[in-house]
Amino acid sequence: MRRAQITRKTAETDITVMINLDGTGSYDNQTGVGFFDHMLDQLARHALIDMHIRATGDLHIDDHHTVEDTGIAIGQALTQAMGDKTGITRYGACLLPMDDALVRAALDLSGRPYLVWNVDMPAQKIGTFDTELVREFFQALSTHGGITLHVDQLHGLNAHHIAEAAFKAVARALRDALETDPRKADAVPSTKGML
């Protein structure tokens, strides 16, 4: 079973993440940051990863530590749940439209973290949420999930639509990459023999 539970506790945050990579996209995410919870719900639903997150953080300062540390914990959970990556497809990509926004995500579950982020948010805030934290989340996810991740905004006028399209595009790409390859279900998808 490709499941994992990660608990991360620091002086700034206390986070527990439970995931099931072979789920149906069910979710129950509570971080104390409303817009971020909405984005995590999208990530779970469109990646078909069951996700249960509980996070408390120093929100009296700002949302930064909670968002970044949640990304770290999800990345660690993905790494744990994938194990040695036998049978995964490894690569995934999605071109996702959402009204005015069009975002492309492409990723490789290579074990080599790298983020390319070509997204320009037209507003600094979505409600009370700092839009720069969208990148911070994906940087943490990429680093701790060992994911080479490219996210490119091709169009977009509305920051909410751009952010949501980014989360959904990454989710759909992740869904494809995590799927079992029916032609090579017993092999690691690398000529090295390991990822």
Side-chain angles (χ1 to χ4, degrees):
M1 298 298 291
R2 300 190 304 167
R3 299 172 186 257
Q5 178 172 333
I6 294 291
T7 298
R8 175 182 170 81
K9 189 168 187 173
T10 72
E12 298 165 340
T13 60
D14 186 353
I15 299 168
T16 299
V17 171
M18 292 181 288
I19 62 170
N20 174 7
L21 302 185
D22 299 309
T24 60
S26 67
Y27 51 84
D28 184 4
N29 302 312
Q30 298 178 25
T31 67
V33 182
F35 180 76
F36 184 47
D37 288 347
H38 179 49
M39 294 300 100
L40 292 173
D41 295 349
Q42 300 303 323
L43 184 65
R45 173 65 185 87
H46 294 281
L48 291 184
I49 296 173
D50 293 345
M51 191 178 294
H52 182 278
I53 298 173
R54 290 294 180 271
T56 56
D58 52 2
L59 299 180
H60 61 285
I61 295 173
D62 67 9
D63 300 340
H64 186 109
H65 297 141
T66 299
V67 171
E68 181 178 35
D69 287 8
T70 300
I72 291 170
I74 294 172
Q76 291 171 340
L78 282 170
T79 297
Q80 185 181 100
M82 284 187 288
D84 69 0
K85 302 179 185 174
T86 295
I88 66 168
T89 301
R90 179 178 168 178
Y91 298 99
C94 178
L95 184 61
L96 195 130
M98 182 170 179
D99 299 338
D100 55 283
L102 182 63
V103 174
R104 177 179 56 219
L107 58 83
D108 176 9
L109 301 177
S110 61
R112 296 186 307 275
Y114 197 91
L115 177 67
V116 175
W117 183 257
N118 293 312
V119 177
D120 182 26
M121 293 288 185
Q124 292 182 341
K125 297 273 193 183
I126 300 170
T128 61
F129 184 82
D130 292 322
T131 54
E132 69 182 6
L133 295 181
V134 176
R135 185 193 183 282
E136 292 302 316
F137 170 79
F138 285 115
Q139 180 67 67
L141 179 73
S142 169
T143 299
H144 294 272
I147 303 168
T148 299
L149 175 60
H150 292 247
V151 183
D152 299 291
Q153 171 193 343
L154 304 179
H155 300 286
L157 302 170
N158 180 286
H160 187 133
H161 295 163
I162 295 165
E164 189 163 339
F167 271 86
K168 287 178 176 178
V170 171
R172 294 293 300 199
L174 192 57
R175 174 181 171 178
D176 289 348
L178 288 168
E179 285 293 320
T180 300
D181 185 340
R183 296 175 62 193
K184 278 290 187 180
D186 60 347
V188 173
S190 172
T191 54
K192 297 182 179 91
M194 65 178 292
L195 286 171

